[in-house]
PDB file of all heavy atoms in Angstrom:
ATOM      1  N   THR A1074     -93.910  -7.760 149.553  1.00 77.00           N
ATOM      2  CA  THR A1074     -94.876  -8.827 149.195  1.00 77.00           C
ATOM      3  C   THR A1074     -94.480 -10.094 149.962  1.00 77.00           C
ATOM      4  O   THR A1074     -93.365 -10.526 149.990  1.00 77.00           O
ATOM      5  CB  THR A1074     -94.825  -8.971 147.680  1.00 77.00           C
ATOM      6  OG1 THR A1074     -95.053  -7.796 146.942  1.00 77.00           O
ATOM      7  CG2 THR A1074     -95.762 -10.042 147.246  1.00 77.00           C
ATOM      8  N   ARG A1075     -95.556 -10.862 150.483  1.00 75.00           N
ATOM      9  CA  ARG A1075     -95.368 -12.088 151.071  1.00 75.00           C
ATOM     10  C   ARG A1075     -96.455 -13.062 150.530  1.00 75.00           C
ATOM     11  O   ARG A1075     -97.582 -12.620 150.407  1.00 75.00           O
ATOM     12  CB  ARG A1075     -95.465 -12.016 152.573  1.00 75.00           C
ATOM     13  CG  ARG A1075     -94.376 -11.207 153.189  1.00 75.00           C
ATOM     14  CD  ARG A1075     -93.068 -11.810 153.067  1.00 75.00           C
ATOM     15  NE  ARG A1075     -91.944 -11.025 153.710  1.00 75.00           N
ATOM     16  CZ  ARG A1075     -91.399 -10.004 153.124  1.00 75.00           C
ATOM     17  NH1 ARG A1075     -91.557  -9.674 151.934  1.00 75.00           N
ATOM     18  NH2 ARG A1075     -90.410  -9.390 153.734  1.00 75.00           N
ATOM     19  N   VAL A1076     -96.246 -14.306 150.444  1.00 70.00           N
ATOM     20  CA  VAL A1076     -97.121 -15.401 150.000  1.00 70.00           C
ATOM     21  C   VAL A1076     -97.654 -15.892 151.286  1.00 70.00           C
ATOM     22  O   VAL A1076     -96.968 -16.396 152.198  1.00 70.00           O
ATOM     23  CB  VAL A1076     -96.400 -16.415 149.208  1.00 70.00           C
ATOM     24  CG1 VAL A1076     -97.449 -17.496 148.819  1.00 70.00           C
ATOM     25  CG2 VAL A1076     -95.804 -15.749 147.870  1.00 70.00           C
ATOM     26  N   PRO A1077     -99.041 -16.057 151.444  1.00 71.00           N
ATOM     27  CA  PRO A1077     -99.679 -16.599 152.609  1.00 71.00           C
ATOM     28  C   PRO A1077     -99.492 -18.114 152.520  1.00 71.00           C
ATOM     29  O   PRO A1077     -99.607 -18.768 151.513  1.00 71.00           O
ATOM     30  CB  PRO A1077    -101.125 -16.310 152.439  1.00 71.00           C
ATOM     31  CG  PRO A1077    -101.379 -15.915 151.046  1.00 71.00           C
ATOM     32  CD  PRO A1077    -100.058 -15.322 150.632  1.00 71.00           C
ATOM     33  N   ILE A1078     -99.054 -18.787 153.643  1.00 71.00           N
ATOM     34  CA  ILE A1078     -98.847 -20.175 153.721  1.00 71.00           C
ATOM     35  C   ILE A1078    -100.049 -20.890 154.176  1.00 71.00           C
ATOM     36  O   ILE A1078    -100.163 -20.714 155.437  1.00 71.00           O
ATOM     37  CB  ILE A1078     -97.548 -20.540 154.485  1.00 71.00           C
ATOM     38  CG1 ILE A1078     -96.310 -19.762 154.000  1.00 71.00           C
ATOM     39  CG2 ILE A1078     -97.233 -21.979 154.556  1.00 71.00           C
ATOM     40  CD1 ILE A1078     -95.110 -19.909 154.784  1.00 71.00           C
ATOM     41  N   GLU A1079    -100.826 -21.565 153.378  1.00 64.00           N
ATOM     42  CA  GLU A1079    -102.049 -22.054 153.891  1.00 64.00           C
ATOM     43  C   GLU A1079    -102.229 -23.608 153.455  1.00 64.00           C
ATOM     44  O   GLU A1079    -103.148 -24.151 153.896  1.00 64.00           O
ATOM     45  CB  GLU A1079    -103.167 -21.298 153.169  1.00 64.00           C
ATOM     46  CG  GLU A1079    -103.262 -19.842 153.603  1.00 64.00           C
ATOM     47  CD  GLU A1079    -104.385 -19.114 152.805  1.00 64.00           C
ATOM     48  OE1 GLU A1079    -104.898 -19.652 151.849  1.00 64.00           O
ATOM     49  OE2 GLU A1079    -104.607 -17.932 153.169  1.00 64.00           O
ATOM     50  N   GLY A1080    -101.238 -24.192 152.726  1.00 61.00           N
ATOM     51  CA  GLY A1080    -101.362 -25.377 152.346  1.00 61.00           C
ATOM     52  C   GLY A1080    -100.462 -26.470 153.148  1.00 61.00           C
ATOM     53  O   GLY A1080     -99.695 -25.974 154.020  1.00 61.00           O
ATOM     54  N   SER A1081    -100.501 -27.612 152.830  1.00 58.00           N
ATOM     55  CA  SER A1081     -99.770 -28.637 153.556  1.00 58.00           C
ATOM     56  C   SER A1081     -98.996 -29.574 152.539  1.00 58.00           C
ATOM     57  O   SER A1081     -98.507 -30.645 152.863  1.00 58.00           O
ATOM     58  CB  SER A1081    -100.605 -29.629 154.444  1.00 58.00           C
ATOM     59  OG  SER A1081    -101.637 -30.217 153.619  1.00 58.00           O
ATOM     60  N   ASP A1082     -98.986 -29.179 151.298  1.00 61.00           N
ATOM     61  CA  ASP A1082     -98.237 -29.878 150.245  1.00 61.00           C
ATOM     62  C   ASP A1082     -96.908 -29.341 149.868  1.00 61.00           C
ATOM     63  O   ASP A1082     -96.500 -28.385 150.515  1.00 61.00           O
ATOM     64  CB  ASP A1082     -99.140 -30.161 148.976  1.00 61.00           C
ATOM     65  CG  ASP A1082     -99.670 -28.853 148.477  1.00 61.00           C
ATOM     66  OD1 ASP A1082     -99.173 -27.809 148.965  1.00 61.00           O
ATOM     67  OD2 ASP A1082    -100.472 -28.850 147.597  1.00 61.00           O
ATOM     68  N   GLU A1083     -96.270 -29.830 148.783  1.00 63.00           N
ATOM     69  CA  GLU A1083     -94.988 -29.280 148.353  1.00 63.00           C
ATOM     70  C   GLU A1083     -94.941 -27.898 148.066  1.00 63.00           C
ATOM     71  O   GLU A1083     -93.907 -27.213 148.074  1.00 63.00           O
ATOM     72  CB  GLU A1083     -94.530 -30.102 147.155  1.00 63.00           C
ATOM     73  CG  GLU A1083     -94.139 -31.551 147.581  1.00 63.00           C
ATOM     74  CD  GLU A1083     -95.326 -32.518 147.727  1.00 63.00           C
ATOM     75  OE1 GLU A1083     -96.479 -32.019 147.506  1.00 63.00           O
ATOM     76  OE2 GLU A1083     -95.138 -33.753 148.054  1.00 63.00           O
ATOM     77  N   LEU A1084     -96.197 -27.338 147.508  1.00 64.00           N
ATOM     78  CA  LEU A1084     -96.162 -25.914 147.272  1.00 64.00           C
ATOM     79  C   LEU A1084     -95.906 -25.025 148.334  1.00 64.00           C
ATOM     80  O   LEU A1084     -95.426 -23.847 148.224  1.00 64.00           O
ATOM     81  CB  LEU A1084     -97.504 -25.606 146.539  1.00 64.00           C
ATOM     82  CG  LEU A1084     -97.799 -26.274 145.132  1.00 64.00           C
ATOM     83  CD1 LEU A1084     -99.264 -25.863 144.699  1.00 64.00           C
ATOM     84  CD2 LEU A1084     -96.814 -25.834 144.245  1.00 64.00           C
ATOM     85  N   GLY A1085     -96.279 -25.507 149.550  1.00 65.00           N
ATOM     86  CA  GLY A1085     -96.093 -24.651 150.752  1.00 65.00           C
ATOM     87  C   GLY A1085     -94.509 -24.448 150.949  1.00 65.00           C
ATOM     88  O   GLY A1085     -94.101 -23.328 151.410  1.00 65.00           O
ATOM     89  N   SER A1086     -93.710 -25.449 150.704  1.00 71.00           N
ATOM     90  CA  SER A1086     -92.304 -25.273 150.819  1.00 71.00           C
ATOM     91  C   SER A1086     -91.783 -24.233 149.909  1.00 71.00           C
ATOM     92  O   SER A1086     -90.833 -23.462 150.169  1.00 71.00           O
ATOM     93  CB  SER A1086     -91.547 -26.558 150.595  1.00 71.00           C
ATOM     94  OG  SER A1086     -91.788 -27.085 149.298  1.00 71.00           O
ATOM     95  N   LEU A1087     -92.401 -24.158 148.635  1.00 71.00           N
ATOM     96  CA  LEU A1087     -92.022 -23.220 147.598  1.00 71.00           C
ATOM     97  C   LEU A1087     -92.344 -21.754 148.118  1.00 71.00           C
ATOM     98  O   LEU A1087     -91.551 -20.885 148.085  1.00 71.00           O
ATOM     99  CB  LEU A1087     -92.675 -23.394 146.267  1.00 71.00           C
ATOM    100  CG  LEU A1087     -92.260 -24.731 145.532  1.00 71.00           C
ATOM    101  CD1 LEU A1087     -93.115 -24.827 144.259  1.00 71.00           C
ATOM    102  CD2 LEU A1087     -90.842 -24.689 145.242  1.00 71.00           C
ATOM    103  N   ASP A1088     -93.540 -21.701 148.810  1.00 70.00           N
ATOM    104  CA  ASP A1088     -93.954 -20.415 149.340  1.00 70.00           C
ATOM    105  C   ASP A1088     -92.995 -19.898 150.466  1.00 70.00           C
ATOM    106  O   ASP A1088     -92.685 -18.718 150.545  1.00 70.00           O
ATOM    107  CB  ASP A1088     -95.387 -20.479 149.917  1.00 70.00           C
ATOM    108  CG  ASP A1088     -96.407 -20.689 148.879  1.00 70.00           C
ATOM    109  OD1 ASP A1088     -96.194 -20.414 147.715  1.00 70.00           O
ATOM    110  OD2 ASP A1088     -97.453 -21.306 149.136  1.00 70.00           O
ATOM    111  N   MET A1089     -92.561 -20.915 151.264  1.00 76.00           N
ATOM    112  CA  MET A1089     -91.690 -20.471 152.441  1.00 76.00           C
ATOM    113  C   MET A1089     -90.358 -20.014 151.841  1.00 76.00           C
ATOM    114  O   MET A1089     -89.739 -19.130 152.235  1.00 76.00           O
ATOM    115  CB  MET A1089     -91.437 -21.701 153.393  1.00 76.00           C
ATOM    116  CG  MET A1089     -92.647 -22.108 154.133  1.00 76.00           C
ATOM    117  SD  MET A1089     -92.500 -23.633 155.001  1.00 76.00           S
ATOM    118  CE  MET A1089     -91.148 -23.162 156.096  1.00 76.00           C
ATOM    119  N   SER A1090     -89.813 -20.794 150.785  1.00 79.00           N
ATOM    120  CA  SER A1090     -88.646 -20.436 150.178  1.00 79.00           C
ATOM    121  C   SER A1090     -88.653 -19.063 149.546  1.00 79.00           C
ATOM    122  O   SER A1090     -87.702 -18.235 149.626  1.00 79.00           O
ATOM    123  CB  SER A1090     -88.132 -21.424 149.185  1.00 79.00           C
ATOM    124  OG  SER A1090     -88.011 -22.727 149.734  1.00 79.00           O
ATOM    125  N   PHE A1091     -89.851 -18.824 148.887  1.00 72.00           N
ATOM    126  CA  PHE A1091     -89.984 -17.476 148.315  1.00 72.00           C
ATOM    127  C   PHE A1091     -89.969 -16.370 149.272  1.00 72.00           C
ATOM    128  O   PHE A1091     -89.369 -15.344 149.148  1.00 72.00           O
ATOM    129  CB  PHE A1091     -91.339 -17.529 147.451  1.00 72.00           C
ATOM    130  CG  PHE A1091     -91.722 -16.218 146.949  1.00 72.00           C
ATOM    131  CD1 PHE A1091     -91.164 -15.758 145.770  1.00 72.00           C
ATOM    132  CD2 PHE A1091     -92.687 -15.425 147.550  1.00 72.00           C
ATOM    133  CE1 PHE A1091     -91.510 -14.464 145.274  1.00 72.00           C
ATOM    134  CE2 PHE A1091     -92.943 -14.168 147.048  1.00 72.00           C
ATOM    135  CZ  PHE A1091     -92.388 -13.619 145.873  1.00 72.00           C
ATOM    136  N   ASN A1092     -90.759 -16.604 150.391  1.00 78.00           N
ATOM    137  CA  ASN A1092     -90.772 -15.555 151.424  1.00 78.00           C
ATOM    138  C   ASN A1092     -89.505 -15.366 152.122  1.00 78.00           C
ATOM    139  O   ASN A1092     -88.996 -14.229 152.361  1.00 78.00           O
ATOM    140  CB  ASN A1092     -91.793 -16.005 152.532  1.00 78.00           C
ATOM    141  CG  ASN A1092     -93.236 -15.910 152.065  1.00 78.00           C
ATOM    142  OD1 ASN A1092     -93.484 -15.145 151.068  1.00 78.00           O
ATOM    143  ND2 ASN A1092     -94.153 -16.541 152.750  1.00 78.00           N
ATOM    144  N   ARG A1093     -88.667 -16.396 152.376  1.00 80.00           N
ATOM    145  CA  ARG A1093     -87.324 -16.227 152.874  1.00 80.00           C
ATOM    146  C   ARG A1093     -86.417 -15.487 151.860  1.00 80.00           C
ATOM    147  O   ARG A1093     -85.580 -14.615 152.262  1.00 80.00           O
ATOM    148  CB  ARG A1093     -86.776 -17.547 153.170  1.00 80.00           C
ATOM    149  CG  ARG A1093     -87.277 -18.213 154.535  1.00 80.00           C
ATOM    150  CD  ARG A1093     -86.348 -19.434 154.956  1.00 80.00           C
ATOM    151  NE  ARG A1093     -86.328 -20.426 153.982  1.00 80.00           N
ATOM    152  CZ  ARG A1093     -87.059 -21.488 154.020  1.00 80.00           C
ATOM    153  NH1 ARG A1093     -88.002 -21.565 154.893  1.00 80.00           N
ATOM    154  NH2 ARG A1093     -87.009 -22.509 153.104  1.00 80.00           N
ATOM    155  N   MET A1094     -86.538 -15.735 150.569  1.00 82.00           N
ATOM    156  CA  MET A1094     -85.822 -15.129 149.505  1.00 82.00           C
ATOM    157  C   MET A1094     -86.113 -13.580 149.539  1.00 82.00           C
ATOM    158  O   MET A1094     -85.204 -12.826 149.526  1.00 82.00           O
ATOM    159  CB  MET A1094     -86.059 -15.793 148.208  1.00 82.00           C
ATOM    160  CG  MET A1094     -85.253 -15.070 147.086  1.00 82.00           C
ATOM    161  SD  MET A1094     -85.835 -15.636 145.422  1.00 82.00           S
ATOM    162  CE  MET A1094     -87.506 -14.837 145.456  1.00 82.00           C
ATOM    163  N   VAL A1095     -87.447 -13.241 149.506  1.00 77.00           N
ATOM    164  CA  VAL A1095     -87.823 -11.745 149.463  1.00 77.00           C
ATOM    165  C   VAL A1095     -87.383 -11.081 150.783  1.00 77.00           C
ATOM    166  O   VAL A1095     -86.826 -10.012 150.687  1.00 77.00           O
ATOM    167  CB  VAL A1095     -89.335 -11.801 149.391  1.00 77.00           C
ATOM    168  CG1 VAL A1095     -89.796 -10.235 149.503  1.00 77.00           C
ATOM    169  CG2 VAL A1095     -89.751 -12.332 147.976  1.00 77.00           C
ATOM    170  N   ARG A1096     -87.480 -11.833 151.961  1.00 80.00           N
ATOM    171  CA  ARG A1096     -86.904 -11.158 153.225  1.00 80.00           C
ATOM    172  C   ARG A1096     -85.455 -10.901 153.111  1.00 80.00           C
ATOM    173  O   ARG A1096     -84.979  -9.834 153.472  1.00 80.00           O
ATOM    174  CB  ARG A1096     -87.234 -12.048 154.290  1.00 80.00           C
ATOM    175  CG  ARG A1096     -88.758 -11.918 154.845  1.00 80.00           C
ATOM    176  CD  ARG A1096     -88.846 -12.436 156.259  1.00 80.00           C
ATOM    177  NE  ARG A1096     -88.593 -13.977 156.239  1.00 80.00           N
ATOM    178  CZ  ARG A1096     -89.517 -14.869 156.009  1.00 80.00           C
ATOM    179  NH1 ARG A1096     -90.752 -14.543 155.902  1.00 80.00           N
ATOM    180  NH2 ARG A1096     -89.211 -16.104 156.134  1.00 80.00           N
ATOM    181  N   GLY A1097     -84.680 -11.855 152.451  1.00 82.00           N
ATOM    182  CA  GLY A1097     -83.253 -11.624 152.328  1.00 82.00           C
ATOM    183  C   GLY A1097     -82.958 -10.593 151.368  1.00 82.00           C
ATOM    184  O   GLY A1097     -82.056  -9.730 151.775  1.00 82.00           O
ATOM    185  N   VAL A1098     -83.624 -10.529 150.358  1.00 82.00           N
ATOM    186  CA  VAL A1098     -83.449  -9.330 149.377  1.00 82.00           C
ATOM    187  C   VAL A1098     -83.815  -7.996 150.053  1.00 82.00           C
ATOM    188  O   VAL A1098     -82.982  -7.032 149.863  1.00 82.00           O
ATOM    189  CB  VAL A1098     -84.305  -9.488 148.076  1.00 82.00           C
ATOM    190  CG1 VAL A1098     -84.197  -8.325 147.148  1.00 82.00           C
ATOM    191  CG2 VAL A1098     -83.677 -10.871 147.326  1.00 82.00           C
ATOM    192  N   GLN A1099     -84.898  -7.991 150.666  1.00 80.00           N
ATOM    193  CA  GLN A1099     -85.317  -6.747 151.379  1.00 80.00           C
ATOM    194  C   GLN A1099     -84.280  -6.355 152.414  1.00 80.00           C
ATOM    195  O   GLN A1099     -83.836  -5.134 152.577  1.00 80.00           O
ATOM    196  CB  GLN A1099     -86.675  -6.966 152.094  1.00 80.00           C
ATOM    197  CG  GLN A1099     -87.269  -5.660 152.688  1.00 80.00           C
ATOM    198  CD  GLN A1099     -88.601  -5.793 153.271  1.00 80.00           C
ATOM    199  OE1 GLN A1099     -89.065  -6.998 153.542  1.00 80.00           O
ATOM    200  NE2 GLN A1099     -89.383  -4.806 153.440  1.00 80.00           N
ATOM    201  N   SER A1100     -83.850  -7.334 153.166  1.00 82.00           N
ATOM    202  CA  SER A1100     -82.762  -7.006 154.183  1.00 82.00           C
ATOM    203  C   SER A1100     -81.466  -6.553 153.546  1.00 82.00           C
ATOM    204  O   SER A1100     -80.863  -5.546 153.980  1.00 82.00           O
ATOM    205  CB  SER A1100     -82.490  -8.267 155.083  1.00 82.00           C
ATOM    206  OG  SER A1100     -81.535  -8.043 156.003  1.00 82.00           O
ATOM    207  N   LEU A1101     -81.139  -7.157 152.419  1.00 82.00           N
ATOM    208  CA  LEU A1101     -79.937  -6.808 151.774  1.00 82.00           C
ATOM    209  C   LEU A1101     -80.076  -5.342 151.167  1.00 82.00           C
ATOM    210  O   LEU A1101     -79.161  -4.530 151.333  1.00 82.00           O
ATOM    211  CB  LEU A1101     -79.698  -7.773 150.609  1.00 82.00           C
ATOM    212  CG  LEU A1101     -78.407  -7.468 149.727  1.00 82.00           C
ATOM    213  CD1 LEU A1101     -77.195  -7.538 150.537  1.00 82.00           C
ATOM    214  CD2 LEU A1101     -78.295  -8.486 148.603  1.00 82.00           C
ATOM    215  N   VAL A1102     -81.262  -4.989 150.651  1.00 80.00           N
ATOM    216  CA  VAL A1102     -81.452  -3.655 150.167  1.00 80.00           C
ATOM    217  C   VAL A1102     -81.468  -2.641 151.347  1.00 80.00           C
ATOM    218  O   VAL A1102     -80.830  -1.649 151.153  1.00 80.00           O
ATOM    219  CB  VAL A1102     -82.839  -3.609 149.460  1.00 80.00           C
ATOM    220  CG1 VAL A1102     -83.257  -2.248 149.123  1.00 80.00           C
ATOM    221  CG2 VAL A1102     -82.861  -4.420 148.191  1.00 80.00           C
ATOM    222  N   GLN A1103     -82.064  -3.013 152.440  1.00 80.00           N
ATOM    223  CA  GLN A1103     -82.018  -2.119 153.677  1.00 80.00           C
ATOM    224  C   GLN A1103     -80.526  -1.986 154.036  1.00 80.00           C
ATOM    225  O   GLN A1103     -80.145  -0.828 154.456  1.00 80.00           O
ATOM    226  CB  GLN A1103     -82.823  -2.733 154.686  1.00 80.00           C
ATOM    227  CG  GLN A1103     -84.309  -2.648 154.484  1.00 80.00           C
ATOM    228  CD  GLN A1103     -85.128  -3.335 155.499  1.00 80.00           C
ATOM    229  OE1 GLN A1103     -84.608  -3.940 156.458  1.00 80.00           O
ATOM    230  NE2 GLN A1103     -86.429  -3.281 155.384  1.00 80.00           N
TER     231      GLN A1103
END
Side-chain angles (χ1 to χ4, degrees):
T1074 302
R1075 298 293 183 272
V1076 177
I1078 303 173
E1079 299 176 353
S1081 58
D1082 55 9
E1083 288 79 0
L1084 294 178
S1086 63
L1087 295 177
D1088 296 336
M1089 293 174 60
S1090 300
F1091 174 78
N1092 289 341
R1093 286 196 295 267
M1094 178 192 67
V1095 175
R1096 281 195 295 268
V1098 172
Q1099 186 178 22
S1100 177
L1101 181 61
V1102 171
Q1103 290 176 353

